[in-house]
Structure formats: structure tokens, C-alpha cells
Amino acid sequence: MKIEIRGVERLSFRERQVVTLKEMGYSNDRISKKLGLTGSTVATLYSRAKNKGYEVVIIIPGDSLGLFGPDDEDGDS
């Protein structure tokens, strides 16, 4: 699985860190401890990033989901 953040160029370095960790499912408390920030700073950075607009795309290879067998070359079964 890969996570792609589109529009990341609009975000500051810290906003990128917070967005990445938030989108990976980390709590504000865990992010604040990991980055050495207060919980309110994490919340502020995440809010600013959302206001700047970005899009998260999760890329999951089809074969890792077990959706296609060896006979499904074209994926139409």
C-alpha cells in the first residue's frame, strides 16, 4: 500500500509531517509526542493543511487484495 498526498507543495514541512501521520491513523497525542509538539499545535497544523487543500490517494495493488486469480488476465470474471 502506498499513500500519495496531492497538493503537498502547498503545505509547510511541519504540515506535511502532521498530515502524513494523521492519514496513517495516528492520534494527535501520538503525533505530538513523536514530533515534539503540543497537541494544540498538531491540531492547528492539521487544520491549516486542510484549509490549504490537499488530496490523499491510497494505492493498493489489486493482487494484494486477492481479487484476481491466475486465470483472470483481463480482470473480467
Side-chain angles (χ1 to χ4, degrees), residues 18-53:
V18 169
V19 164
T20 300
L21 293 171
K22 286 291 282 183
E23 296 299 340
M24 292 175 65
Y26 289 93
S27 68
N28 283 5
D29 186 50
R30 191 158 177 203
I31 294 169
S32 67
K33 288 176 184 170
K34 185 165 187 65
L35 299 180
L37 304 170
T38 66
S40 62
T41 299
V42 170
T44 298
L45 288 166
Y46 188 59
S47 178
R48 285 183 187 166
K50 287 193 315 185
N51 287 335
K52 290 180 181 180

Side-chain angles (χ1 to χ4, degrees), residues 1-75:
M1 177 176 79
K2 293 182 182 181
I3 297 175
E4 179 181 314
I5 302 172
R6 296 181 181 165
V8 73
E9 66 279 353
R10 294 186 291 254
L11 306 180
S12 71
F13 178 74
R14 279 295 202 196
E15 290 167 346
R16 291 176 192 187
Q17 289 180 314
V18 169
V19 164
T20 300
L21 293 171
K22 286 291 282 183
E23 296 299 340
M24 292 175 65
Y26 289 93
S27 68
N28 283 5
D29 186 50
R30 191 158 177 203
I31 294 169
S32 67
K33 288 176 184 170
K34 185 165 187 65
L35 299 180
L37 304 170
T38 66
S40 62
T41 299
V42 170
T44 298
L45 288 166
Y46 188 59
S47 178
R48 285 183 187 166
K50 287 193 315 185
N51 287 335
K52 290 180 181 180
Y54 67 88
E55 180 181 18
V56 175
V57 178
I58 300 173
I59 303 164
I60 304 172
D63 58 339
S64 70
L65 298 175
L67 298 175
F68 304 107
D71 297 333
D72 294 331
E73 292 179 23
D74 61 2

